[in-house]
Amino acid sequence: MSTNAPEAPDAPEAPEAPAPKAGKREWLGLAVLALPTLLISLDQSVLYLALPHLAEGLRPTGTQTLWIMDIYGFLIAGFLITMGTLGDRIGRRKLLMIGAAAVGLTSVAAACSTSAEGLIATRALLGIAAATLMPSTLALIGNMFHDPHQRGRAIAVWASCFMGGTALGPVVGGTLLEYFWWGSVFLLGVPVMAVLMIVAPLVLPEYKDPHAGRIDLPSVLLSLVSLLSVIYGLKELARYGFAPLPIAAVLLGLAVGAVFVRRQGRLAHPLLDLKLFRVRSFTAALLILTVSMLGTGGGYLFITGFLQMVEGYSPMEAGLLMVPAAVASVLAAQVAPFFAKRFQLSTVIGVALLVGAAGYAMLVLVDPVGGMPLLMAGFMLVFVGVGTFGSLGTHLVVGSVPPERGGSAAALSSISGDLGTALGVATLGSLGTAVYRGSVEPPADTPADAADAAGAGMEGAVNAALELPARAAESLLAAAKEAYTSGLNTVAVACVVITAISATIALTLLRDRRTAAPYEKH
């Protein structure tokens, strides 16, 4: 008979403790983080309305006007990776407050500019300062809201503020320009940043990676050259078509980007941790964001052009007509977490993108006469898809990575959207322009110079018509509007295909949310 006592059965594993719930302080902190998010989207939309007033005061050349418009977005995109990683190292709240102070000061400097060169310089500094805000706000949300469902609602609010700012831009900008000088549109950021600097230390936690190393300055330079070259080249391709300089800029950016990626793989403390891309849901979300924004960027370009040049609305009126679509986007972002709790995430995102594809399909049927109801309805459906994925996709990106990589993840989310938009404007803009040029047929009695101007683009047709007698102008514009609408229809077909591809990616790659390989810390 054995004297050994029987072995005790293995104790059952304790269930994983639920994530702590956010309290009043965290929700108040979210309200503070919403302020810079709203400001960035406002800044990007109000300047379009201020351009005529600004031109009267500063007399910029055509090239200077383009740089006034573009330099802000260029430098935001260029510095996102650097600022996201810098926040992980020095502290996200600290970087947010430094950026807020810089945005406030550069906003005042921009408003007080007395020359086009001075405004370009201050807009450049404003872009660098604003690049601190997006990754810091999104990463802090990840630190404050540990419960996945609460984090989803918080990111939905954050995404709604970004979309809502686009809708409010024409209203706020138009009101300011009605009563004040053009510089007033830049001063919007001053009180917002002042409130943030006062309240942030009271309600926002500080977080930084305790094991972070020093920032690798060569990597910073490589990332800047790569991103700025690619985005500059894509924008120039959209503006002037296929020309040697923009193509060379894109190729340079891609080559430098390859050098950047190789360097990150060799560093102990890289500027961008490539192991993030081993997380399957993270990589899939970035891919869907890039592809879907490709369609949105190109579609938005032609829709705004249709409203102004075919329907004849002013920039402010066109902006106000876009408010319903922006509201639909905000509402979709708010209800998306509700559906994500009840259905598989891949299904919610995939169906939302298919709704957007249906919206683009409606734009295929738009005519130059009487096409507004179809255009508005289709545009709203498109933005239902944009709002849904803007909320759930961003949540997926932030929630897929460890807390110490939150800043880098947030930066990559923003960059994916920027690159997708720039690529969409370049490729689909070129496609629509080619269709226009191939189908426009000015009346036989149109003067040669007016016919040449109309053949180059819809803008040329509008300007040429101003110099013609009423009947000739009406005939020329009718032909140009028909051709431009054909371009819009063709771009819409491409957007249907692109959005359907995005939906397919969501329904396949996101169906299994397990990572392709486990994330490893350094």
Side-chain angles (χ1 to χ4, degrees):
M1 182 175 178
S2 173
T3 57
N4 292 336
E7 293 185 6
D10 291 337
E13 291 186 7
E16 186 177 343
K21 298 282 187 178
K24 291 182 179 178
R25 180 181 177 185
E26 285 76 17
W27 289 107
L28 183 59
L30 176 63
V32 174
L33 293 176
L35 294 175
T37 307
L38 190 66
L39 175 68
I40 289 175
S41 56
L42 274 172
D43 270 356
Q44 291 177 331
S45 57
V46 297
L47 188 59
Y48 287 96
L49 295 177
L51 269 182
H53 305 264
L54 184 155
E56 290 180 15
L58 301 183
R59 303 287 181 184
T61 65
T63 301
Q64 288 173 333
T65 299
L66 293 176
W67 278 110
I68 289 170
M69 295 294 297
D70 289 342
I71 192 67
Y72 174 78
F74 281 166
L75 290 178
I76 285 182
F79 275 92
L80 277 171
I81 288 179
T82 300
M83 295 305 181
T85 306
L86 183 61
D88 292 340
R89 282 163 167 73
I90 71 171
R92 292 163 187 168
R93 187 181 69 188
K94 179 186 291 186
L95 181 64
L96 181 65
M97 295 186 66
I98 292 172
V103 167
L105 292 173
T106 52
S107 295
V108 172
C112 297
S113 297
T114 56
S115 67
E117 294 85 356
L119 183 56
I120 292 169
T122 53
R123 288 274 292 168
L125 294 174
L126 184 58
I128 296 172
T132 66
L133 303 180
M134 291 293 284
S136 297
T137 55
L138 193 50
L140 281 169
I141 288 174
N143 297 136
M144 293 160 55
F145 295 90
H146 301 283
D147 177 76
H149 298 310
Q150 286 191 323
R151 185 170 61 240
R153 291 200 299 272
I155 289 177
V157 171
W158 178 90
S160 296
C161 288
F162 192 80
M163 300 164 195
T166 304
L168 288 174
V171 180
V172 175
T175 303
L176 287 173
L177 293 169
E178 184 74 23
Y179 297 103
F180 304 102
W181 93 114
W182 62 264
S184 62
V185 299
F186 295 110
L187 297 180
L188 281 170
V190 177
V192 171
M193 295 299 105
V195 170
L196 190 152
M197 293 184 66
I198 294 170
V199 181
L202 304 177
V203 297
L204 297 181
E206 182 58 286
Y207 184 90
K208 60 182 177 181
D209 182 359
H211 307 294
R214 296 175 60 186
I215 293 245
D216 181 58
L217 292 181
S219 294
V220 172
L221 181 61
L222 288 170
S223 71
L224 281 175
V225 173
S226 176
L227 287 169
L228 290 177
S229 297
V230 169
I231 293 177
Y232 167 79
L234 290 175
K235 282 183 173 286
E236 292 299 290
L237 284 171
R239 188 173 288 144
Y240 301 115
F242 289 93
L245 181 59
I247 291 174
V250 172
L251 293 177
L252 172 65
L254 294 175
V256 174
V259 175
F260 171 80
V261 169
R262 289 191 61 185
R263 183 174 181 84
Q264 303 317 292
R266 296 197 301 265
L267 293 174
H269 298 284
L271 185 70
L272 176 62
D273 189 352
L274 300 181
K275 292 189 180 74
L276 290 174
F277 293 98
R278 295 181 183 176
V279 183
R280 182 174 179 177
S281 54
F282 173 84
T283 304
L286 291 182
L287 179 60
I288 297 168
L289 179 61
T290 303
V291 175
S292 60
M293 289 308 295
L294 192 156
T296 303
Y300 192 88
L301 173 71
F302 266 79
I303 289 168
T304 54
F306 183 91
L307 291 174
Q308 294 180 64
M309 293 183 290
V310 176
E311 294 293 337
Y313 292 107
S314 69
M316 183 175 179
E317 290 170 335
L320 291 174
L321 285 169
M322 293 180 186
V323 169
V327 171
S329 182
V330 169
L331 293 176
Q334 291 300 309
V335 302
F338 172 83
F339 286 108
K341 285 178 65 175
R342 286 156 178 79
F343 303 99
Q344 194 170 9
L345 182 66
S346 62
T347 302
V348 177
I349 293 177
V351 169
L353 290 171
L354 289 176
V355 169
Y360 283 124
M362 294 175 71
L363 300 184
V364 176
L365 305 175
V366 169
D367 291 322
V369 178
M372 276 297 293
L374 202 58
L375 181 85
M376 297 297 293
F379 199 38
M380 288 181 67
L381 289 181
V382 167
F383 268 67
V384 167
V386 170
T388 302
F389 183 72
S391 171
L392 298 181
T394 304
H395 181 205
L396 193 58
V397 169
V398 174
S400 297
V401 302
E404 62 269 21
R405 296 291 185 265
S408 297
L412 286 171
S413 177
S414 297
I415 289 171
S416 296
D418 289 343
L419 285 175
T421 301
L423 187 59
V425 169
T427 56
L428 297 183
S430 298
L431 172 64
T433 301
V435 171
Y436 170 88
R437 290 173 178 170
S439 58
V440 65
E441 296 180 357
D445 58 349
T446 304
D449 55 347
D452 290 341
M458 184 68 195
E459 297 88 345
V462 172
N463 292 329
L466 298 175
E467 308 296 327
L468 298 176
R471 181 169 295 181
E474 184 178 347
S475 299
L476 177 63
L477 286 176
K481 289 177 180 181
E482 185 74 33
Y484 189 88
T485 306
S486 296
L488 169 64
N489 300 149
T490 305
V491 167
V493 171
C495 289
V496 170
V497 175
I498 290 167
T499 310
I501 291 172
S502 299
T504 303
I505 296 171
L507 291 169
T508 53
L509 293 186
L510 293 181
R511 187 165 295 280
D512 179 7
R513 287 189 53 190
R514 294 173 297 177
T515 59
Y519 185 89
E520 303 170 59
K521 295 182 183 179
H522 291 293

